[in-house]
Amino acid sequence: MPLTLTEKILSEHLVEPASLPARGTDIAIRIDQTLTQDATGTMAYLQFETIGLDRVQTELSVSYIDHNTIQQDYRNMDDHRYLQSIAAKYGLWFSRAGNGICHQVHLERFGIPGKTLLGSDSHTPTGGGIGMIAIGAGGLDVAVAMGGGAFHLSMPKVFGVKLTGSLKGGVAAKDIILEVLRRETVKGGVGAIYEYFGDGVSTLSVPQRATITNMGAELGATCSVFPSDETTRSFMEAMGRGSDFRALSADEGATYDKIIEIDLSALEPMAAQPHSPDAVAPISALAGKKVTQVAIGSCTNSSLSDLAAVAAIVKGKHVAEGVEAGISPGSRQTLMQAEKTGILGELIRAGFRILESACGPCIGMGFAPNSGGVSVRTFNRNFKGRSGTPDAEVYLVSPETAALTAITGVLSDARTAASDITANLSAYPTGEYSTLRDDNMLIPPLGSTDASRVEIIRGPNIKPCPASPELPDSLSLPVLLKAGDNVSTDDIMPAGAKVLPLRSNIPEISRYTFERLDTGFYDRAQQASGCMVLGGENYGQGSSREHAALAPMYLGVRAVIVKSFARIHKANLVNYGILPLVLSDPSVYDKLAMNDELTLSGIHSALKNGTPFTLVRKSDGLSFEATNDLDERTRKVLLAGGLAAWTRQGGQ
Ligand code: MIC
Ligand code: SF4
């Protein structure tokens, strides 16, 4: 039977069952590579340490420092030093602060077509740009994979995206993924992998493909993947890794669960409007809107070609008076390439503030917009408040749109700059990718003898990960929060300069739980002895941060009842022993209110037998069901009280 590329890579890595099962069935796959970043890494390695192995068991594991680089006090650097000592002790590569954003560096220096990559960051699917099955997960799942354990997921549907034609001047890869988001929405991809094919693929460079697979995370998808072709080969060769190249594509006649067709020639520049990545509108409908800030960078759009396009547009011009513009190159290598080719000088001359090669403004680490400001960003998420300014409006656009907007001061259609792009791009003599390579800020793994002598450095900011409680057979608890649809993990546990330094300290970070939705939650949870949370559709979308499960667990949340879940967050809840319950009848949501006292009994037998859960409201006896859509292994993990307990009991 002809296979999709997704099915080919998954079956090469299948641990269980023996062959690919029906969609939705639990599968276990072998993980070749892992990545972590500093904001999720400390918890992942604290978990890895408890497994008790001498060395990571993967082909390659990399620990990146890219999120918490502001270092207002000792805490961020305490984390960095812990992570560096862990890398040395357990045989990981270490990418030092300043070396760049994990996804960009991984694509350039480590990614290999046809391999699997599991990362404790939701944008790990960036690797799909070179034909990897690259998946974002919680830190605990990554710790298990580093220990040689398989990664469990439900066999995804495979959605084909057929690209035809080629992009017109001023239209960018970002506009392709914004078009997919416009059609599919932020929950359209849950349980699916998006696989790109068609004549249009060969017109896109690897960085363009990586922009698309990166922001595929916003669809809620498991990941996205492009074929590995001659374009991939030249990228790998430019990165000095030609021998890692392998050609990969779907078989002729492969069947997809659905096919979306996009004619690249018909696309126009677009923007995701506040406050959701799927609130997409054409720039032509928004043009003229006054802007106060422009930020270029993030793991979505910070490659050399992105910076080159910006420089081509701003050449000889200057950032408008009412606009503050900043740029954070995706990697130190990109920054050096930009310097060598004259791109950097052009950007400095035009008035861009040059920010560090790191996540920076994307995660609210500095460069917050003014109050009520309008910030135009090349990033992938514009959830309310994520920029650090609660009432700012954030628009997500391509580097071309951002560049033109920076010099005009108003949202502008980059098609009008098409001739500047063509005329000026040739000034940068590098072609698509510079061959300059620099690995000086990457520290290779130590050999076992040296590694065994390494002492782990634990500053006062590193606190042990709290254990999940046992799961009782019945729970009688109040609903302490009623949330709406599309609650993001940023809503559950915010990031930003104030909160990120607390990622290694759960008791402290738990104070911020649900702060964006309800500032009283923490106090109420402190007073109650245990509680439940109610949510709408696509609960837990966005970031992979397991702190959005860990902190609620620490505060006594025992069950989350929703209309539907986002994939990574649901897995994180299970990993920390919180029951993820999906209402069988979504209309019950409207009948339930905050402070309702709900009784859930017979939990153990429901988990053992896979039968629905029954809940009863104490005040009036209203009885309703939650589906038991959990596979057998997940139910066993919950019965054990979470993944760590299950693994200790010998579970796999
Ligand atoms: C994000 O973009 O939200 C983050 C910060 O990279 C997160 C990880 C985290 O919260 O540490 C993600 O995407 O998973
Ligand atoms: Fe960093 Fe932003 Fe990418 Fe997350 S989305 S990894 S914060 S650049």
Side-chain angles (χ1 to χ4, degrees):
M1 207 181 86
L3 295 179
T4 61
L5 173 55
T6 302
E7 289 163 331
K8 284 188 190 179
I9 303 178
L10 286 180
S11 41
E12 277 180 14
H13 290 84
L14 208 56
V15 176
E16 251 176 63
S19 58
L20 287 180
R23 311 297 198 226
T25 314
D26 179 54
I27 60 169
I29 57 168
R30 184 169 39 79
I31 296 299
D32 301 321
Q33 303 187 343
T34 63
L35 71 77
T36 57
Q37 37 88 343
D38 49 321
T40 54
T42 50
M43 281 299 143
Y45 296 109
L46 284 167
Q47 300 284 0
F48 179 77
E49 284 187 276
T50 66
I51 300 176
L53 292 167
D54 292 342
R55 231 177 149 72
V56 290
Q57 306 291 305
T58 46
E59 290 174 12
L60 171 112
S61 287
V62 191
S63 172
Y64 292 91
I65 308 293
D66 55 0
H67 280 63
N68 296 328
T69 54
I70 287 200
Q71 296 166 227
Q72 272 165 324
D73 61 24
Y74 64 93
R75 287 174 298 192
N76 289 163
M77 198 169 163
D78 270 12
D79 288 358
H80 302 174
R81 281 168 61 83
Y82 167 72
L83 292 169
Q84 183 164 355
S85 64
I86 286 278
K89 179 113 197 131
Y90 295 110
L92 290 96
W93 284 83
F94 184 69
S95 177
R96 301 168 67 181
N99 195 45
I101 307 173
C102 54
H103 309 302
Q104 176 79 13
V105 179
H106 205 89
L107 189 77
E108 292 176 351
R109 308 311 306 137
F110 296 112
I112 299 180
K115 297 276 184 190
T116 52
L117 166 68
L118 193 72
S120 62
D121 191 283
S122 64
H123 291 102
T124 304
T126 311
I130 54 168
M132 301 185 85
I133 290 290
I135 303 178
L140 186 46
D141 281 324
V142 177
V144 169
M146 287 189 292
F151 177 63
H152 289 255
L153 71 163
S154 57
M155 177 62 201
K157 293 184 206 122
V158 187
F159 293 162
V161 187
K162 182 173 180 192
L163 303 179
T164 56
S166 60
L167 293 171
K168 297 245 167 64
V171 186
K174 183 63 154 280
D175 301 311
I176 305 176
I177 187 62
L178 287 173
E179 172 64 9
V180 181
L181 272 155
R182 188 184 70 76
R183 296 197 203 175
E184 296 282 289
T185 80
V186 289
K187 60 182 166 76
V190 177
I193 291 183
Y194 286 80
E195 181 172 315
Y196 289 78
F197 68 102
D199 298 345
V201 167
S202 62
T203 68
L204 299 174
S205 67
V206 164
Q208 287 179 308
R209 297 174 189 185
T211 292
I212 295 169
T213 53
N214 171 285
M215 206 171 168
E218 273 51 71
L219 296 160
T222 304
C223 65
S224 306
V225 64
F226 270 85
S228 170
D229 57 11
E230 284 310 303
T231 305
T232 322
R233 183 201 295 276
S234 27
F235 176 81
M236 298 294 289
E237 283 168 357
M239 295 300 138
R241 302 193 297 115
S243 57
D244 283 339
F245 171 74
R246 180 183 162 202
L248 288 163
S249 59
D251 290 332
E252 195 68 43
T255 51
Y256 293 95
D257 292 270
K258 81 171 178 194
I259 291 185
I260 304 162
E261 290 200 34
I262 298 182
D263 175 4
L264 302 182
S265 335
L267 286 184
E268 54 179 301
M270 283 182 282
Q273 309 167 88
H275 298 284
S276 179
D278 64 357
V280 174
I283 293 283
S284 52
L286 306 167
K289 185 169 179 74
K290 231 170 164 329
V291 163
T292 58
Q293 193 192 54
V294 168
I296 293 168
S298 93
C299 53
T300 319
N301 277 121
S302 55
S303 64
L304 185 65
S305 16
D306 287 333
L307 303 197
V310 174
I313 292 174
V314 303
K315 195 176 172 66
K317 310 202 171 73
H318 201 274
V319 170
E321 232 172 69
V323 175
E324 174 190 57
I327 194 150
S328 22
S331 68
R332 188 172 148 277
Q333 178 175 282
T334 300
L335 179 60
M336 291 172 76
Q337 291 165 339
E339 193 270 331
K340 185 177 150 201
T341 51
I343 292 170
L344 183 64
E346 196 63 69
L347 298 174
I348 298 173
R349 197 209 45 75
F352 278 89
R353 289 173 58 185
I354 308 301
L355 310 175
E356 202 180 8
S357 283
C359 298
C362 178
I363 192 57
M365 281 304 228
F367 210 71
N370 56 307
S371 43
V374 176
S375 183
V376 167
R377 302 177 157 213
T378 65
F379 307 167
N380 48 36
R381 290 188 175 137
N382 57 349
F383 303 141
K384 199 167 168 25
R386 181 175 159 106
S387 65
T389 304
D391 61 357
E393 291 179 24
V394 175
Y395 290 80
L396 306 174
V397 301
S398 69
E400 287 81 346
T401 301
L404 188 61
T405 299
I407 53 179
T408 60
V410 292
L411 263 174
S412 305
D413 188 330
R415 285 175 296 183
T416 60
S419 54
D420 283 349
I421 303 176
T422 327
N424 298 338
L425 260 188
S426 53
Y428 311 121
T430 53
E432 205 103 55
Y433 330 106
S434 161
T435 46
L436 184 154
R437 295 188 293 274
D438 186 276
D439 288 340
N440 282 332
M441 297 283 273
L442 280 171
I443 303 179
L446 282 182
S448 334
T449 320
D450 290 337
S452 66
R453 293 194 200 107
V454 172
E455 290 288 328
I456 304 295
I457 305 171
R458 270 176 242 276
N461 194 41
I462 310 283
K463 296 276 184 288
C465 182
S468 321
E470 276 177 22
L471 187 69
D473 191 39
S474 77
L475 291 167
S476 216
L477 297 171
V479 172
L480 280 198
L481 183 81
K482 181 172 181 179
D485 289 343
N486 294 321
V487 165
S488 71
T489 43
D490 281 70
D491 294 325
I492 305 173
M493 177 50 71
K498 196 169 79 180
V499 184
L500 275 176
L502 304 171
R503 283 288 182 93
S504 311
N505 187 338
I506 301 303
E508 275 307 306
I509 207 171
S510 69
R511 293 174 185 279
Y512 297 90
T513 311
F514 291 117
E515 195 197 37
R516 290 231 176 105
L517 301 181
D518 179 344
T519 45
F521 181 84
Y522 176 76
D523 287 339
R524 290 202 301 281
Q526 288 289 91
Q527 274 150 31
S529 28
C531 64
M532 301 192 192
V533 164
L534 184 63
E537 299 281 4
N538 199 27
Y539 181 87
Q541 69 160 332
S543 152
S544 68
R545 64 191 68 149
E546 59 192 341
H547 302 76
L550 253 169
M553 183 267 288
Y554 181 77
L555 294 181
V557 176
R558 305 307 311 268
V560 177
I561 309 166
V562 299
K563 292 185 190 170
S564 66
F565 280 107
R567 174 186 66 88
I568 306 179
H569 185 60
K570 183 179 181 188
N572 284 337
L573 290 175
V574 170
N575 286 352
Y576 288 103
I578 299 177
L579 285 168
L581 304 181
V582 178
L583 290 167
S584 308
D585 171 6
S587 71
V588 170
Y589 171 90
D590 296 325
K591 297 184 187 144
L592 298 173
M594 201 159 109
N595 294 328
D596 279 357
E597 190 85 22
L598 302 179
T599 303
L600 170 59
S601 39
I603 300 174
H604 291 177
S605 65
L607 286 174
K608 275 185 197 129
N609 307 324
T611 48
F613 300 92
T614 306
L615 293 105
V616 178
R617 177 160 61 192
K618 268 196 178 164
S619 59
D620 60 356
L622 171 77
S623 164
F624 59 95
E625 276 191 357
T627 57
N628 194 334
D629 63 341
L630 309 166
D631 61 65
E632 199 184 337
R633 175 180 173 275
T634 304
R635 289 189 269 118
K636 285 185 180 159
V637 170
L638 281 166
L639 270 171
L643 187 59
W646 159 252
T647 312
R648 272 196 303 277
Q649 290 167 16
Q652 291 194 339

